[in-house]
Structures are given as C-alpha cells and as structure tokens.
Amino acid sequence: MADQAEKLRELVKAGTEAPAPGHKKTRIITVTSGKGGVGKTNLSVNLAISFAKVGKKVILLDADLGLANVNVILGVIPKYTLYHMIRKQKTMKDIITDTDYGIQFVAGASGFTKIANLSDEERKSFIEEMLALSDADILIIDTSAGVSKNVLDFVAAADDTLIVTTPEPTAITDAYGIIKIIATEFNNENMGLKLIVNRVDSVVEGKRVAERVISIANQFLNIKVDYLGFVFEDPLVQSSVLKQRPFVAVDPKGKAAQCLMNIVSRLEKVEFKEGSGLGAFLNRLFGRIG
Ligand SMILES: Nc1ncnc2c1ncn2[C@@H]1O[C@H](COP(=O)(O)OP(=O)(O)OP(=O)(O)O)[C@@H](O)[C@H]1O
Ligand SMILES: [Mg+2]
C-alpha cells in the first residue's frame, strides 16, 4: 500500500515537475458549507464564469457525488460524467464539457460514493486523468454540504476553501461546525479558509455574520478564517435557476453578479502559495487517502 502511494506520488511528480515553458500553475478553489442549500453550486458556477470574464481559463469540477447538479444550473446535459471516467469508459479529456459561458466543466457522478473507495488501479488512473485539468488557471470544485471524507480530502488539497453560509442561525452554526471539524482534522492554523456570506440584505449584515463566525473560530479553534465577501439576496438567482442560465449571464450588472466580481478581485489579490498547483493538489489528495 505504501509502495503504491509512493508510486502515485512519483507519477504526479513526473507529470508536473518539469512543466513545459509557459506552463501555468493551476489554482484550486474548493467550495463547501456546513448546511445544505446555502448556495454553493450557484456561487461555484457564477464564480467560475466571473473568473473567465477577467481572462482566466477555468474548469469547474462537480465533486458532489451525491446530488451532482452543476449541469442543471448551466443548462447542459452532459453526455458523460466522472462516473464514466472512473469506470475507464472515457478519459477526462472526453468528459470535459464546453459551455456557452467561457468555462468548461466536468459533470459529477450522481450517486457515486467516495473517491476513497476506488481501487488502487482506479485511483492511479484518476490521478493521471486529473492532470488533464492542469491546463486551467483555476479549478473550482463544488462539493456537497456537511462533512464527509470526500469533502475533507478536497479541503486538504485546495489552495483556498470557500465556506458558504447564509445569515440564518442554523447555517451559521453549521458553518462553525465544519470549520471545527477542519480545525480538528488538520491541526493547521492556515488552511486557506475563506468565508462567503450569501443571501444578505445589507453589507452590514454580511459583516456582522462574518465577524461572529471568524471571531469564534479564532478564539476557540485557533484556525484562521478570512472574510472573502457577501452576496446579496437577489430574486434573480432563483429565476436564473429556473431558466437554467447562470445569473451573471442573465444580468451581468445585477446585484448578485457585482458581488461575485468583488469576490473575484479579492481572490486575485491573495497571493497564490508556492508549492501549489495541480500536481501538489493530487499529491495532497492521494497522500491523505493512499
Ligand atoms: N443570493 C441568493 N439570492 C436568492 N436566492 C438564492 C441566493 N443564493 C442561493 N439562492 C437560492 O438557494 C437555492 C439553493 O442554491 P444551491 O443549489 O446553489 O445551494 P447548494 O448549497 O449548492 O445546495 P446543496 O447543499 O443541495 O448542494 C437556489 O436555487 C436559490 O433559489
Ligand atoms: Mg450544490
């Protein structure tokens, strides 16, 4: 087993350590939450498109293996999903799907269980296939709510983990809950955790919620959480979901869309850590479960 993990690491190294001239590093952003239904998928999709608008090459990976629905919000019916890739019926290149919005996405495998359950052979091919995403400047990973081994693996591996909450007390409590689990699991003060407060009615409301979560995290969990920004409650979000068109495309100047642009510019200001990139991501991901 240890040999196998070592082999996988070598494989990743070989694939990424000597990048071709002009080869870029891929920044990995994982989006998660404590409570379900707080807006992760909508924010992931629209964040991806907002990054594309400022010239980034973005791939969105739907890692919610329970209820994959990035494709629903994008209004695309994928021919193939991660399921076909893991089952070796298709390569990653085959399943990357173009959209009308300047991003590409990889559809999730609804109902599929944990990556940790893959056989060694499947895991090895998963790593090889993930390297096909290293073309992107930014890889955004939409996950399921709550704590599963799967989500923690993606948190472990990401450069930035965006924790989404709303001002609802239950969402705040659950956001704190997932931060606590991350703090306990990794015992690392700087996990790149960043809070987004979605569905706020005012700037002050966002700030108030963020301050509460962040100060409790600092005080009791000794883990750093930055306030990344807020997204206004906007009826356009729901109507866009019904139209199956992302809200930043329906109304690029709308309230919610502008909030997303603010989040993009804040993320762009955050320095991109050394030792990151897709190869490092895969090393961390499979180092944990290997
Ligand atoms: N800023 C917003 N303004 C208004 N409604 C919103 C906003 N954000 C999200 N919603 C509503 O919340 C619903 C759920 O959003 P979404 O599916 O993105 O959540 P999720 O966190 O991905 O859910 P799950 O945990 O099931 O994956 C949307 O369909 C929309 O109706
Ligand atoms: Mg979702």
Side-chain angles (χ1 to χ4, degrees):
M1 197 63 195
D3 277 2
Q4 181 70 18
E6 194 47 45
K7 262 191 219 136
L8 295 176
R9 265 187 277 280
E10 274 166 24
L11 181 71
V12 171
K13 260 183 161 173
T16 56
E17 242 185 22
H23 182 93
K24 41 197 179 183
K25 277 185 182 171
T26 306
R27 179 178 189 167
I28 295 113
I29 301 175
T30 293
V31 181
T32 193
S33 69
K35 187 172 184 289
V38 293
K40 288 177 300 299
T41 302
N42 273 278
L43 297 189
S44 300
V45 169
N46 289 282
L47 183 66
I49 298 169
S50 302
F51 264 119
K53 284 188 179 174
V54 297
K56 302 287 186 207
K57 180 170 167 42
V58 188
I59 300 178
L60 177 60
L61 176 75
D62 189 347
D64 187 339
L65 301 181
L67 272 175
N69 56 15
V70 166
N71 55 297
V72 178
I73 286 174
L74 283 168
V76 177
I77 300 170
K79 234 172 148 178
Y80 303 108
T81 72
L82 277 178
Y83 179 85
H84 299 95
M85 193 206 80
I86 292 165
R87 286 284 167 255
K88 288 200 145 179
Q89 292 159 3
K90 293 286 158 196
T91 66
M92 184 68 93
K93 282 222 152 47
D94 296 330
I95 66 168
I96 294 178
T97 308
D98 289 326
T99 68
D100 296 338
Y101 306 107
I103 62 162
Q104 293 180 304
F105 85 104
V106 176
S110 265
F112 205 73
T113 47
K114 295 175 189 170
I115 287 181
N117 288 345
L118 301 184
S119 69
D120 286 348
E121 192 48 43
E122 285 170 331
R123 202 177 288 183
K124 179 170 164 256
S125 83
F126 192 88
I127 290 182
E128 285 168 335
E129 293 290 345
M130 285 281 280
L131 290 172
L133 305 178
S134 64
D135 244 16
D137 298 312
I138 295 173
L139 173 63
I140 297 181
I141 302 173
D142 179 28
T143 70
S144 50
V147 185
S148 66
K149 172 107 172 56
N150 213 359
V151 172
L152 287 174
D153 286 336
F154 284 113
V155 170
D159 298 296
D160 311 280
T161 294
L162 313 192
I163 307 220
V164 183
T165 186
T166 67
E168 251 185 60
T170 45
I172 295 175
T173 309
D174 291 355
Y176 178 71
I178 194 161
I179 293 168
K180 186 173 179 180
I181 285 162
I182 292 168
T184 312
E185 175 85 11
F186 300 105
N187 196 20
N188 175 353
E189 198 188 322
N190 194 357
M191 290 293 295
L193 302 188
K194 297 179 174 61
L195 190 72
I196 297 183
V197 187
N198 187 23
R199 312 194 69 164
V200 304
D201 290 323
S202 68
V203 179
V204 173
E205 185 178 37
K207 209 168 160 213
R208 184 179 52 77
V209 171
E211 274 170 2
R212 216 170 117 195
V213 175
I214 289 168
S215 74
I216 300 176
N218 285 343
Q219 214 177 324
F220 298 107
L221 305 175
N222 192 32
I223 191 163
K224 189 164 163 283
V225 183
D226 292 321
Y227 180 33
L228 186 61
F230 61 86
V231 180
F232 282 123
E233 170 74 28
D234 186 346
L236 184 78
V237 177
Q238 201 174 352
S239 62
S240 304
V241 171
L242 292 174
K243 284 187 199 137
Q244 293 191 258
R245 291 193 65 213
F247 61 78
V248 296
V250 174
D251 185 5
K253 295 212 156 56
K255 276 202 300 192
Q258 284 186 16
C259 295
L260 267 284
M261 283 317 295
N262 280 336
I263 290 172
V264 162
S265 62
R266 282 201 204 155
L267 277 171
E268 283 205 296
K269 280 187 200 128
V270 180
E271 223 182 300
F272 183 24
K273 288 183 291 205
E274 272 301 315
S276 52
L278 199 68
F281 164 79
L282 293 170
N283 261 328
R284 292 191 295 264
L285 176 58
F286 287 93
R288 241 177 79 73
I289 63 182

